[in-house]
Amino acid sequence: MDDSEFQDITRDPVDARRLRESLEKLADGASNDTLKEMAKEVLSGRVSLREAVTVPAYGEALIEGGRPFREAWGQLSEAERMQLAAEGEREYQAKRAEMEEERRQAQSGTRDRGNARHSGRGWSAY
């Protein structure tokens, strides 16, 4: 599954990539078995993320999984929250730069292959 599957939810290619990477972490066991199962189902394409959150067991697991984050966030000072927000913005920009570099490399690779000796271009039997 590629990132485009999540762009209808995130509306942003960077956030879509980050969402897919988060699901991959969950599928690898970064959380409980229910979230691991949900992530595998979504990543396999058997169920969309929108459908998955409507499954009661998955929805409840997501809510429970987010509880420690909400509690920790609530205990942070405003300065700590701003520091974390700035760190998140730096990570977002780094991911954007990474994706732009991947796109540039893919585009230059496509152009290079198009000029390959046996590409079939520039030759015709007619």
Side-chain angles (χ1 to χ4, degrees):
M1 170 170 287
D2 69 9
D3 304 338
S4 65
E5 299 293 324
F6 302 115
Q7 283 190 29
D8 68 321
I9 294 170
T10 64
R11 305 269 189 243
D12 180 304
V14 176
D15 287 338
R17 168 77 56 96
R18 294 169 75 186
L19 176 56
R20 181 185 48 80
E21 290 172 348
S22 294
L23 286 167
E24 288 171 347
K25 287 178 186 175
L26 289 174
D28 288 340
S31 189
N32 64 49
D33 289 341
T34 304
L35 291 179
K36 181 177 180 176
E37 175 186 305
M38 181 207 69
K40 285 182 176 184
E41 290 293 307
V42 171
L43 291 169
S44 72
R46 287 188 289 269
V47 66
S48 73
L49 185 56
R50 289 184 193 276
E51 293 169 330
V53 298
T54 65
V55 174
Y58 295 160
E60 290 170 17
L62 284 167
I63 291 168
E64 284 302 311
R67 184 166 296 170
F69 170 80
R70 287 189 307 276
E71 290 171 358
W73 184 259
Q75 294 175 1
L76 295 175
S77 69
E78 189 61 30
E80 290 170 319
R81 289 178 186 175
M82 290 180 70
Q83 182 180 357
L84 285 173
E87 182 180 322
E89 181 61 27
R90 284 190 298 275
E91 289 176 8
Y92 177 90
Q93 294 304 329
K95 182 62 71 176
R96 179 177 295 288
E98 175 187 316
M99 291 172 64
E100 288 172 358
E101 180 61 25
E102 288 173 5
R103 186 172 22 87
R104 277 193 294 277
Q105 288 179 359
Q107 288 173 344
S108 68
T110 301
R111 275 186 252 131
D112 292 344
R113 282 191 300 256
N115 296 327
R117 181 175 176 188
H118 299 288
S119 68
R121 292 183 175 192
W123 184 87
S124 173
Y126 302 102

